[in-house]
């Protein structure tokens, strides 16, 4: 049994120590916005925040996160998440939407630590998130728009 703090709520889960966090979140807690993409931690579709930092849930054993704070996209309710969601909608960022949960997790982590990111900062922070549709320019524009609005700009 492991005790997980997910989106601010404590959960007891029964899993083998090496069970990937992704499967615990999806199968036991019903958090299906997380996607299984590559299973190798390279695409970012399964990204979550662990103690505020992006992590790949498909490669993270549940035994390593017991007692740590895990946040999925559905648990992000701050101004950063709201501005990113608004920018994503306004700029029509997602095409198929498969990768967007992971994209928003990584973009939010970036903006929480760097309120005025350059293109290079964005490219670096987002490099672990693949978009099969190739909407990278719209993703970058969405991050810039959200950052501007968070700083009080239009």
């Amino acid at each position: 049994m492991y005790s997980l703090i997910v989106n601010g709520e404590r959960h007891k889960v029964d899993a083998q120590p090496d069970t990937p966090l992704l499967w615990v979140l999806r199968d036991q807690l019903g958090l299906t916005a997380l996607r299984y993409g590559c299973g190798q931690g390279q695409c970012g579709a399964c990204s979550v925040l662990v103690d505020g930092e992006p992590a790949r849930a498909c490669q993270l054993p549940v035994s390593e996160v017991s007692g740590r704070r895990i946040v999925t996209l559905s648990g992000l309710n701050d101004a950063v998440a709201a501005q990113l969601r608004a920018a994503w909608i306004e700029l029509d960022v997602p095409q198929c939407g498969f990768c967007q949960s992971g994209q928003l997790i990584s973009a939010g982590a970036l903006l929480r630590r760097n309120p005025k990111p350059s293109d290079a900062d964005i490219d670096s922070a987002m490099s672990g998130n693949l978009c099969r549709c190739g909407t990278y320019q719209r993703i970058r524009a969405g991050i810039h728009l959200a950052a501007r609005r968070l700083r009080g700009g239009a």
Side-chain angles (χ1 to χ4, degrees), residues 87-144:
W88 252 234
I89 292 167
E90 184 176 329
L91 299 178
D92 200 24
V93 170
Q95 189 164 320
C96 80
F98 187 84
C99 69
Q100 294 308 304
S101 176
Q103 299 283 357
L104 288 164
I105 287 284
S106 294
L110 167 65
L111 291 180
R112 285 181 195 90
R113 71 176 174 271
N114 181 352
K116 193 174 181 180
S118 66
D119 284 350
D121 295 332
I122 293 170
D123 292 348
S124 176
M126 303 303 291
S127 66
N129 294 83
L130 301 179
C131 175
R132 291 173 173 99
C133 301
T135 65
Y136 298 110
Q137 297 301 321
R138 292 190 306 220
I139 290 167
R140 186 189 295 153
I143 293 169
H144 280 303

